[in-house]
Amino acid sequence: MMILLTGGAGYIGSHVCVALLDAGLDVVAIDNLSNSNKASLERVQSICGRSLVFRHADVRDEEAIYEILRDCGVTAVIHLAGLKAVGDSNVRPMTYYENNVLGTMRLVSAMKRANVKTLVFSSSATVYGPPRYLPVDEKHPLGPTNPYGRTKCFIEEILRDIYRSDDDWRIGILRYFNPVGAHESGLVGEDPLGVPNNLLPFVAQVAIGQRDKLSIWGGDYDTPDGTGIRDFIHVVDLASGHLSALRHLTRPGVLTVNLGTGNGSSVLEVIRAFEAVSGRSIPYEIGERRAGDVAICYADPTFAREALGWRSARSLQQMCADHWRWQLKNPNGYRDTPVLKVQGRSRSLASRR
Ligand code: NAD
Ligand code: UFG
């Protein structure tokens, strides 16, 4: 079974790739490398001892995607390609609509032409907006508060309309909570460009001495220690959720599922866990609240268990330990990886070794 993985070179994509290859599936990964480095996919292959096909392509290029679907004999698509920075989406909303929404529309058109009608899409807990109740289940009203979140909402609606118009489609919509951590090998992980927006990459860079201290955005929330609470989920658990979704899309329909642990951890709890596994101290200061942040958000993962037979397995300690191993082994992310000479667009990465 050949899977097309869009955004395959990215943080979550590289881990999904490992899960797919380890499960014996074949993968063609596409990425425009706007926020990634294809060294990640070289490393995926050394982890799995199997090769994959990489194409440097953009999901907005319908013809290129159609040709890949047809030529590679793809039977299902996992669609992760997208822009994801909330703050940036406020500054450049049209870029986000064009990349995320139009990109998905073109991808789906190519799929329809190639008669490939199984799709797993990465949505986000951000579609819920500020929680009205906790834990957040899939019936929670939607109300994203930024353009990035709205692209996810619009895409979800588009996918539901596609199914309504043609009930051959099998669509899984996965709403991720807060993915963190890295593969236990320390070979693939999150490699943010510039100043990290998210908590764990920032904490890891403080621990290794690349940044002086962490600013905690708000210490006066209505939570036990005053700092924000999130549902951090190990990226390897998240990746296995995609495999479960693929396996459970046995009937036409649209399945919308939270991928979270069901447990909330505060910023201070994350700092303490990271200090414990790394043996380093994480200096911090408490600053102002970040605009748009909520006090507490965590998932109700019940439906994921019922519908996909999936549950997260890894603890916060494991998330921090794996994230730290990745940071220690790759202080500059993938930037120190030797550049490979690429001679063709469609060659297997493994064949270039
Ligand atoms: P990432 O930036 O590491 O990966 C996204 C990949 O998509 C990158 O490799 C990028 O180069 C590629 N890409 C972007 N636009 C493209 C296009 N038009 N054509 C081809 N490739 C393109 O981000 P990630 O954390 O791995 O996120 C993957 C998906 O999961 C995204 O859709 C994101 O919105 C979603 N998501 C992420 C989080 C998170 O906290 N990381 C949370 C919820 C949802
Ligand atoms: N935080 C800090 N300091 C930092 C970074 C984060 O105190 O330097 C705090 C935040 O205020 C928040 C918590 O750490 O309380 C988590 O923040 P993240 O930025 O890591 O995660 P968010 O929950 O804000 O957002 C993430 C993704 C979004 C996604 C959302 C829900 O960035 O894209 O999870 O899935 F929509």
Side-chain angles (χ1 to χ4, degrees), residues 74-91:
V74 170
T75 50
V77 176
I78 300 181
H79 176 38
L80 281 72
L83 299 174
K84 62 166 183 177
V86 170
D88 187 36
S89 79
N90 284 315
V91 179

Side-chain angles (χ1 to χ4, degrees), residues 6-15 30-37 40 55-61 65 79-85 98-100 103 121-126 148 151-152 174-180 189-191 198 235 238 242:
T6 79
Y11 170 45
I12 298 168
S14 52
H15 292 85
I30 70 150
D31 204 297
N32 67 3
L33 303 178
S34 58
N35 194 39
S36 53
N37 185 321
S40 62
R55 302 281 181 100
H56 188 174
D58 193 298
V59 284
R60 290 166 291 184
D61 185 346
I65 304 299
H79 176 38
L80 281 72
L83 299 174
K84 62 166 183 177
E98 211 251 334
N99 197 78
N100 295 3
F121 169 63
S122 46
S123 187
S124 168
T126 198
Y148 163 67
T151 68
K152 295 292 183 189
L174 305 182
R175 293 176 176 160
Y176 312 158
F177 279 68
N178 290 58
V180 296
E190 187 167 11
D191 182 17
N198 298 119
V235 66
L238 188 85
H242 294 71

